[in-house]
Amino acid sequence: MKKVIALLLVMVMMLGIAACADTQKPTEPSTKPSEPAEQVMTYAEYAAAADEAKVVVEGYVQATQGWWDNSIVIYAQDKDGAYFGYKVVCSEEDAAKLIPGTKIRMTGYKTFYKGMPELAEGATFTFIEGADTFIADPEDVTSLMASEDLVKKAGIKAAFKGATVAPSTKKDDTTEYAFLYNWDGSGEAGSDLYFNVSIGDKIYNFCVESYLTGADTEVYKAVEALKVGDKIDLEGFLYWYDGVNPHITSVTPVVEG
């Protein structure tokens, strides 16, 4: 009987050693390829990216339009250039955190809409935790308005000096207006404001985007108070819509003499 017990003990010990040896067997390396890491682009790389190319960029929020339907329009910029995100996927909670100066990473597809380079609808973003902040100073682009190189600065905070309010007209209406509610005059108070200015020997159409700066803002009220012939300095974001069409955020009368 003792021999049987001893034999059983030996067999149990041998099985234990085999099991231990099996658990200590070196793990074979996985042959499954890993997903490539997303590479953040420099501004130069983003600017050179083709239409419909996937892009990953980092920039600092300069402003946002109103949150709506789980999306938001973002004006972002760094020291090298600007990134305009159209209807970026965003919760209402995160929208409240997109204060000017906040650094974010946006991922999406680049497109050109009416001449404006942007991250197309459906792009996503993440906050860069612990990052520094940055608020861009408006760059004076007055001398570049007639230049083909102006579009290279699309989206930046820009300044326009010494502009003159030029007349705007509605279809089948010869009356000269200093501004229109909507581009064709079909709107009402609270709609986008459109107005013409002359800089040099050319006339440009500017816009106060109501989702960015609504009827209760200083700039909206300032444009409503304009008269044809007024001399003004302006600031805003260098936007395009079949030609340069800045989103204006500030209007200041020019005091002459």
Side-chain angles (χ1 to χ4, degrees), residues 1-256:
M1 185 64 176
K2 291 182 178 179
K3 291 183 178 180
V4 173
I5 293 174
L7 181 60
L8 288 173
L9 289 173
V10 171
M11 292 176 65
V12 170
M13 290 176 63
M14 291 179 65
L15 288 172
I17 292 171
C20 183
D22 186 64
T23 60
Q24 294 178 1
K25 183 179 179 181
T27 303
E28 293 293 330
S30 172
T31 57
K32 182 180 179 179
S34 60
E35 292 293 325
E38 290 185 332
Q39 183 68 41
V40 177
M41 294 175 160
T42 63
Y43 176 75
E45 290 170 334
Y46 168 76
D51 190 19
E52 298 187 0
K54 186 174 183 180
V55 293
V56 183
V57 298
E58 289 182 356
Y60 300 83
V61 176
Q62 302 300 302
T64 61
Q65 293 185 15
W67 177 88
W68 182 77
D69 195 26
N70 289 318
S71 68
I72 196 164
V73 174
I74 299 174
Y75 303 78
Q77 190 169 341
D78 62 20
K79 62 182 179 61
D80 296 315
Y83 312 95
F84 181 76
Y86 179 71
K87 296 185 77 171
V88 178
V89 176
C90 181
S91 69
E92 189 171 14
E93 180 182 5
D94 281 344
K97 301 175 185 176
L98 288 170
I99 60 176
T102 302
K103 190 173 186 180
I104 61 172
R105 177 179 299 167
M106 290 192 288
T107 302
Y109 292 88
K110 185 180 178 182
T111 190
F112 295 86
Y113 182 73
K114 300 291 186 178
M116 180 68 184
E118 61 185 44
L119 276 79
E121 180 177 353
T124 59
F125 81 95
T126 56
F127 293 100
I128 307 298
E129 301 294 341
D132 56 348
T133 60
F134 171 73
I135 300 293
D137 292 323
E139 179 180 344
D140 187 349
V141 297
T142 310
S143 64
L144 297 176
M145 288 298 289
S147 170
E148 293 182 357
D149 290 335
L150 184 65
V151 72
K152 295 178 181 179
K153 297 182 178 294
I156 68 165
K157 271 186 177 179
F160 314 88
K161 302 291 188 180
T164 303
V165 178
S168 297
T169 58
K170 303 176 184 179
K171 184 178 180 181
D172 301 324
D173 183 353
T174 59
T175 305
E176 294 186 346
Y177 298 92
F179 69 92
L180 299 176
Y181 292 112
N182 287 343
W183 67 273
D184 59 355
S186 63
E188 57 189 10
S191 302
D192 295 345
L193 300 180
Y194 286 82
F195 61 105
N196 292 328
V197 299
S198 62
I199 297 176
D201 60 354
K202 294 185 179 297
I203 293 179
Y204 304 93
N205 188 241
F206 285 8
C207 173
V208 174
E209 168 59 62
S210 60
Y211 288 124
L212 173 64
T213 46
D216 60 341
T217 61
E218 289 186 11
V219 65
Y220 196 99
K221 295 172 183 177
V223 171
E224 286 183 308
L226 290 177
K227 296 178 177 61
V228 174
D230 284 352
K231 289 276 190 181
I232 52 176
D233 291 336
L234 309 103
E235 293 178 0
F237 294 100
L238 200 55
Y239 188 76
W240 253 255
Y241 192 93
D242 290 334
V244 62
N245 182 227
H247 289 173
I248 296 303
T249 58
S250 173
V251 173
T252 305
V254 173
V255 179
E256 300 190 74

